[in-house]
Amino acid sequence: MAADALTIPLLSVNVSLAEPGIYKNKETRSGINKKPVTGPIALGPAGLAGDEQADLVNHGGPDKAVCVYSCAHYGHWERVLGKKLDYGAFGENFTVDRRIENEVCIGDVFRLGEVKLQVSQPRQPCWKLAMKWGLDELPSLVLQSGATGFYFRVLEPGAVSKGELVLIERPKDTATVAEANRILFIDKDDEDGIRQMLAIQALSEGWKERLRRRLEKRKAE
């Protein structure tokens, strides 16, 4: 795909401070309840101004500065949940309008106004999505569907607002978000696929470490 061949409409920018919640009778905190903001908002290496993650081990950080999800998937989840979904419904910072997992690749660099962003890894939905919608199996359903979304790291910071994400660069050796999901979550014994993913320079270090451990475990078996 040529660098100018992919443009993704950005419909909403969403943020939330961490809020108290209850999951399986335990008190917790989460920033899953993202709401749209109006006008430009500052975006830096740590994420959007006014956005917060309660669990900084598994959420946030430079490789997960911006969570991206497509409202093209909302219709399916509205049927599953029996509820109307608004922008930010899956805890995403950027709500886009295109089925992205089979088109976007790890390491893709996008321009959004003055900001430059790079795809770092797919999203792995966790129990906080289950808490938000009251459906314990929702994270597993998302993984099974492949409609996971992905994360951006910030290469050049600045102010962002809804507009268009324009692909400006794609690495030679890469894989789609869908392929990365397949290797990590579905075909876990695909050693060639694991090695292919490990060769992708832009893949987040967290994902690389998980894949290295998987290879080491298979060698020890």
Side-chain angles (χ1 to χ4, degrees), residues 1 42 197 211:
M1 178 181 295
M197 292 302 303
L211 293 169

Side-chain angles (χ1 to χ4, degrees), residues 13 15 37-43 48-51 158-161:
V13 179
V15 302
V37 296
T38 57
I41 184 171
L43 173 61
L48 290 158
D51 197 45
V160 297
S161 58

Side-chain angles (χ1 to χ4, degrees), residues 8 10 40 43 94 110-117 156-168:
I8 302 174
L10 173 59
L43 173 61
F94 285 2
F110 286 84
R111 175 71 69 181
L112 176 64
E114 62 183 338
V115 171
K116 189 185 288 187
L117 304 157
E156 293 181 6
V160 297
S161 58
K162 61 183 181 180
E164 289 189 334
L165 290 156
V166 180
L167 179 66
I168 60 173

Side-chain angles (χ1 to χ4, degrees), residues 91-104:
E92 73 271 15
N93 298 118
F94 285 2
T95 306
V96 300
D97 188 17
R98 185 165 176 154
R99 294 182 184 274
I100 48 180
E101 289 81 7
N102 286 306
E103 293 188 283
V104 171

Side-chain angles (χ1 to χ4, degrees), residues 1 7 11 15 26 42 51 57 75 114 121 129 145 166 172 188 201 210:
M1 178 181 295
T7 299
L11 302 183
V15 302
K26 293 183 180 180
D51 197 45
V57 174
E114 62 183 338
Q121 65 170 73
L129 193 61
S145 74
V166 180
K172 181 179 179 181
K188 298 182 179 182
Q201 185 175 0
R210 293 174 69 180

Side-chain angles (χ1 to χ4, degrees), residues 116-162:
K116 189 185 288 187
L117 304 157
Q118 185 178 47
V119 179
S120 58
Q121 65 170 73
R123 178 195 188 178
Q124 180 176 0
C126 70
W127 60 267
K128 294 185 178 182
L129 193 61
M131 177 182 70
K132 177 178 174 68
W133 292 111
L135 184 63
D136 288 348
E137 61 266 35
L138 185 56
S140 294
L141 292 175
V142 172
L143 287 180
Q144 291 167 16
S145 74
T148 61
F150 62 86
Y151 284 103
F152 277 134
R153 62 169 63 92
V154 179
L155 300 182
E156 293 181 6
V160 297
S161 58
K162 61 183 181 180

